[in-house]
């Protein structure tokens, strides 16, 4: 029996259909079962259900939706206690959410206007909330991706950026969201560390009113700045007076702690923000809801403890959408007991805001230093600036020597950047209004080093018992009870069922909505009788999160209804035994008219194609088998496909072709084919969904080298630009040089794997079938007929270490050369005839390196 999981991924060119076809060729009575839990995937394209059934050779379809009567009866017997928490957005979050929606709507309208000839009906803001929207966009634009301008490509990238902003707004803390937003503004407007970007590379949505609202409101969620108050470094501290004041404050706090044990600890020297700046630190609504839920669960565990032999445990399972949110929740829960009750994330946000100040300063200095490089015509100004900088450093060092800091800590000396500033102030940057970086740098300069490196804010009243750490008592060390453990986990696949079965929690908190996990909870509750499960389902009201969850439910229902209708009117093909079916054109071979008067004889065996084992990761072997050619897998050293005793094919996709040229691997492969086969062929295969043109090659060249070349050329990689023309000409030049080096090499261009299968069929017409043993032994590393005792392993290891000799041509060299000494005595021409021109020259130079001296 064969089982196919995730059958929604089966296509006519997939490996699963190839395996099932081979299985059915030898076993017509075996069972094949396919499963899928993604009904939406069967609604894309023309008759997707029929296509999957045809490829897997299935005749029966069982559709089991959630609204099926049997499913409702089974899951309806035991239902979990679900508490839905519709958390409203704060006013500032609602403004940012609306601004992002407006930017997405404007970007989509501009994308439709730029590509009016394409079918873009599915390009809506509601669909753009999902990750699958990127696949929809690329599926529509892939055939003409090389023709569209840079503006269209920038709009597609902007949609992905805006979707991530929408998700980060609802999942991350306000400081992290602000950092990501300011990074986008800084990188787009200043071009990162490489200077100002061109107008063609800028995103239009960053210069809209909605973007301005977005950045100003994001800053207002974190802090507010009073323009009337100027930030200045604090005055020097009188240590004697300061010690007396802090002693009095300690006595007052001790008295307050004795009178009220539940008093909130006070911040010790909480001046982590400059003067004139008020931290706001607006917390997401789900944080307070999560704190209230955990408090409620704790009360329920105390009032209703778990009885003996009662199923379940007191573990609290919190499910989130991704690992970043899980890390955020873990840090929040670790500091929630040190925060005020009405603000559970205050302690965490204070640390994040302090880190943000230093990150903001470093970001400004990085951009400042990259733009402050002096030009050639300003040598005199450079000398003056260096003198001023040296003077500032001496002044700052003297100031630091006079400064006295409580605790004896050292002081960070940061040079004043007012004299270093050479950026043109006329160039305004969107969203740069806010913190005065110059004044912020002065404030951070005056902070002691121990405060900068301290990751946590010390609270008065927190005392550490040193004896507790030295004690080995079990009161301080041991395993936690289940009611003291909160497990934070991300949504996954089948691993979620395993976690539920192992922990068996009674309380589950769904911090982020997930429809698949809701189904898993229903199965978990139904399979555990007597287990009381309470689920807290959190959801932001009237947001993209709510729309995605409700749209997912609606899509699932519509997909099942469409599948039911398609199954009712679907024509099921009749599958016959393929061993009996003989295609007349392929089974009958025309012979010469001089033999038997032009009669046609029946070909007993199908045509054979020897395929390298590594090629089964591609779809071409599957299509060769569909073309009624026998696929013989083998481990080939030379070539990828052997069609006849004289024809060997090396297949290269477009990305693989470029990488082979860069590494030089293609030269060696063509050289080996030219040595062992009469007709070597290089097959360059394009993707079926993309254009059959050299212009698509420039799109595949991604990486740091391409970005570096674009920066040096100072021109973006647009379609039809000089960069693309240079890439095409370079590839053409390399192909011409390759054909000049190997005159017998033939290059075949294929538009798709289907075309490659047809080409192979034409090349094999009226030709002799290849020998499998000969194809395997050509260029093989070991000789199967040789006795293992007769092989000199030390000599072979020495040959492998020489340049130009590897595993592929080792046996060929040992068959032509008697010994290593004979190889060393050969001339340059003899070694080049043996190994090739370039490998032979490298090997000869390496052997005679010392003799030349």
């Amino acid at each position: 029996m064969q089982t196919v999981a995730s059958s929604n991924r089966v296509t006519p060119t997939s490996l699963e259909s190839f395996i099932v076809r081979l299985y059915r060729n030898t076993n017509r009575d075996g069972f094949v079962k396919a499963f899928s839990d993604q009904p939406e995937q069967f609604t894309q394209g023309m008759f997707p259900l029929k296509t999957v059934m045809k490829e897997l050779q299935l005749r029966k379809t069982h559709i089991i939706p959630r609204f099926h009567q049997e499913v409702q009866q089974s899951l309806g017997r035991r239902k979990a206690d679900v508490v839905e928490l519709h958390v409203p957005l704060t006013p500032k979050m609602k403004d940012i959410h609306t601004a992002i929606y407006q930017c997405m709507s404007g970007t989509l309208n501009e994308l439709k206007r730029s590509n009016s000839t394409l079918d873009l009906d599915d390009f809506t803001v509601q669909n753009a909330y999902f990750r699958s929207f990127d696949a929809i966009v690329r599926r529509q634009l892939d055939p003409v991706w090389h023709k569209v301008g840079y503006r269209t490509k920038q709009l597609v990238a902007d949609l992905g950026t805006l979707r991530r902003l929408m998700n980060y707004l609802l999942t991350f803390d306000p400081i992290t969201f602000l950092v990501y937003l300011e990074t986008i503004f800084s990188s787009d407007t200043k071009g990162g560390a490489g200077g100002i970007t061109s107008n063609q590379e800028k995103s239009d949505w960053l210069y809209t009113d909605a973007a301005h609202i977005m950045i100003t409101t994001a800053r207002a969620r974190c802090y507010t700045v009073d323009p009337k108050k100027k930030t200045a470094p604090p005055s020097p501290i009188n240590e004697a007076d300061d010690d007396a004041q802090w002693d009095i404050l300690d006595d007052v706090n001790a008295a307050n702690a004795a009178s009220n044990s539940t008093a909130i600890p006070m911040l010790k020297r909480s001046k982590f923000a400059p003067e004139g700046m008020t931290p706001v630190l607006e917390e997401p609504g789900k944080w307070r809801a999560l704190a209230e839920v955990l408090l409620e669960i704790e009360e329920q565990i105390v009032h209703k403890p778990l009885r003996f032999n009662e199923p379940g445990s007191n573990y609290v399972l919190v499910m989130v959408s991704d690992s970043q949110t899980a890390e955020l929740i873990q840090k929040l829960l670790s500091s929630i007991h040190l925060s005020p009750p009405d603000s559970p994330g205050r302690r965490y946000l204070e640390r994040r805001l302090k880190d943000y100040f230093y990150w903001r300063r470093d970001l400004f200095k990085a951009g400042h230093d990259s733009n402050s490089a002096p030009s050639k015509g300003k040598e005199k100004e450079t000398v003056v600036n260096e003198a001023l900088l040296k003077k500032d450093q001496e002044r700052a060092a003297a100031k630091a020597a006079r400064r006295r800091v409580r605790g004896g800590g050292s002081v960070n000396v940061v040079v004043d950047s007012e004299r270093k500033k050479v950026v043109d102030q006329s160039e305004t940057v969107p969203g740069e209004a806010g913190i005065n970086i110059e004044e912020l740098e002065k404030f951070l300069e005056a902070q002691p080093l121990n405060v900068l490196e301290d990751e946590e804010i010390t609270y008065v009243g927190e005392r550490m018992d040193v004896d507790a750490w030295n004690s080995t008592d079990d009161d301080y060390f041991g395993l936690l009870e289940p009611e003291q453990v909160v497990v934070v986990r991300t949504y996954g696949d089948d691993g979620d069922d395993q976690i539920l079965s192992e922990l068996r929690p009674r309380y589950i908190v769904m911090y982020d909505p997930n429809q698949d996990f809701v189904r898993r909870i229903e199965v978990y509750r139904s399979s555990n009788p007597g287990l009381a499960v309470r689920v807290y389902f959190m959801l932001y009201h009237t947001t993209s999160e709510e729309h995605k969850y409700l749209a997912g439910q609606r899509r699932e229902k519509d997909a099942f209804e469409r599948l039911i209708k398609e199954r009712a009117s679907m024509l099921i093909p009749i599958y016959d035994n393929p061993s009996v079916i003989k295609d007349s054109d392929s089974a009958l071979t025309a012979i010469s008219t001089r033999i038997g008067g032009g009669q046609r004889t029946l070909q007993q065996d199908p045509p054979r194609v020897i395929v390298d084992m590594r090629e089964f990761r591609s779809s071409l072997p599957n299509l060769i088998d569909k073309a009624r050619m026998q696929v013989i897998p083998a481990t080939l050293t030379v070539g990828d496909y052997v069609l006849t005793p004289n024809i060997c094919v090396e297949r290269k996709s477009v990305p693989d072709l470029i990488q082979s040229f860069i590494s030089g691997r293609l030269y060696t492969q063509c050289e080996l084919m030219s040595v062992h086969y009469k007709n070597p062929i290089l097959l360059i295969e394009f993707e079926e969904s993309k254009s059959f043109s050299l212009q698509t090659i420039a799109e595949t060249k991604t990486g740091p080298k391409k970005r570096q070349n674009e920066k040096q050329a100072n021109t973006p990689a647009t379609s039809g630009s000089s960069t693309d023309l240079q890439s095409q000409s370079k590839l053409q030049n390399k192909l011409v040089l390759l054909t000049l080096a190997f005159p017998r090499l033939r290059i075949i261009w294929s538009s798709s794997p289907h075309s490659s299968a047809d080409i192979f069929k034409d090349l094999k017409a009226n030709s002799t079938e290849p020998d499998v043993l000969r194809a395997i032994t050509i260029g093989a590393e070991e000789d199967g007929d040789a006795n293992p005792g007769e092989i000199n392993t030390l000599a072979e290891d020495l040959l492998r270490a020489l340049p130009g000799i590897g595993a592929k041509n080792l046996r060929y060299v040992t068959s032509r050369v008697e010994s290593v000494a004979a190889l060393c005595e050969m001339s340059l021409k003899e070694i080049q005839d043996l190994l090739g021109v370039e490998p032979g020259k490298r090997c000869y130079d390496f052997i005679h390196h010392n003799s030349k001296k």
Side-chain angles (χ1 to χ4, degrees), residues 106-365:
T107 304
L108 280 173
N109 293 334
E110 186 65 26
L111 183 61
K112 292 180 180 179
R113 192 180 304 110
S114 302
N115 302 272
S116 58
T117 58
L118 300 178
D119 185 13
L120 306 179
D121 295 336
D122 295 335
F123 286 21
T124 61
V125 180
Q126 289 73 19
N127 292 334
Y129 291 153
F130 297 90
R131 289 184 178 179
S132 59
F133 181 75
D134 293 342
I136 297 175
V137 173
R138 291 309 300 262
R139 187 170 60 249
Q140 292 287 341
L141 297 178
D142 262 343
V144 293
W145 188 254
H146 64 285
K147 296 182 180 179
V148 299
Y150 185 84
R151 183 177 181 82
T152 300
K153 299 176 183 179
Q154 183 66 38
L155 292 174
V156 173
D158 291 343
L159 287 176
T161 302
L162 291 171
R163 187 186 67 253
R164 287 190 294 271
L165 276 175
M166 187 77 76
N167 295 334
Y168 292 169
L169 173 66
L170 304 179
T171 56
F172 289 168
D173 59 90
I175 307 295
T176 305
F177 178 78
L178 178 60
V179 168
Y180 181 72
L181 190 60
E182 288 187 346
T183 304
I184 294 176
F185 276 92
S186 178
S187 61
D188 190 271
T189 56
K190 295 181 180 180
I196 305 298
T197 60
S198 61
N199 294 329
Q200 195 173 8
E201 296 180 359
K202 295 181 179 180
S203 300
D204 295 338
W205 68 271
L206 292 174
Y207 298 89
T208 60
D209 296 337
H212 179 73
I213 295 174
M214 194 187 308
I215 187 66
T216 54
T217 310
R219 289 194 176 118
R221 293 180 63 201
C222 303
Y223 59 85
T224 58
V225 179
D226 188 1
K228 298 181 180 179
K229 297 181 180 180
K230 294 185 178 180
T231 305
S235 57
I237 300 174
N238 190 342
E239 190 167 318
D241 298 340
D242 188 65
D243 290 339
Q245 294 175 3
W246 281 104
D247 292 339
I248 296 175
L249 182 59
D250 291 340
D251 296 338
V252 173
N253 291 333
N256 292 336
S259 60
N260 186 9
S261 59
T262 62
I264 302 173
M266 297 176 59
L267 271 173
K268 182 180 179 180
R269 298 190 178 186
S270 59
K271 291 185 178 182
F272 56 88
E275 184 181 356
M277 179 182 296
T278 304
V280 177
L281 303 180
E282 181 185 66
E283 300 180 9
K286 283 188 178 181
W287 287 13
R288 184 175 300 178
L290 179 61
E292 295 174 355
V293 165
L294 294 178
L295 183 61
E296 180 181 344
I297 292 175
E298 184 179 356
E299 294 176 354
Q300 291 179 1
I301 292 176
V302 173
H303 295 304
K304 297 180 180 180
L306 192 64
R307 293 174 294 182
F308 182 71
N309 290 334
E310 185 177 356
S313 64
N314 289 328
Y315 288 106
V316 180
L317 181 61
V318 180
M319 301 298 297
V320 296
S321 58
D322 50 27
S323 58
Q324 295 177 339
T325 308
E327 183 180 0
L328 173 63
I329 296 300
Q330 290 174 0
K331 293 181 180 179
L332 175 66
L333 296 180
S334 63
S335 61
I336 195 173
H337 63 286
L338 300 175
S339 302
D342 57 343
S343 182
R346 185 74 182 183
R347 176 72 177 271
Y348 171 74
L349 291 179
E350 285 174 350
R351 292 201 301 264
R352 292 289 295 121
L353 183 61
K354 185 181 69 173
D355 296 338
Y356 165 77
F357 288 150
Y358 293 102
W359 172 86
R360 192 72 178 85
R361 184 199 61 181
D362 295 339
L363 179 66
F364 173 78
K365 291 177 65 178

Side-chain angles (χ1 to χ4, degrees), residues 86 181 208 211-212 379 473 496 501 629 675:
H86 295 272
L181 190 60
T208 60
H212 179 73
E379 291 84 357
D473 193 0
D496 294 342
S501 61
M629 290 184 286
V675 170

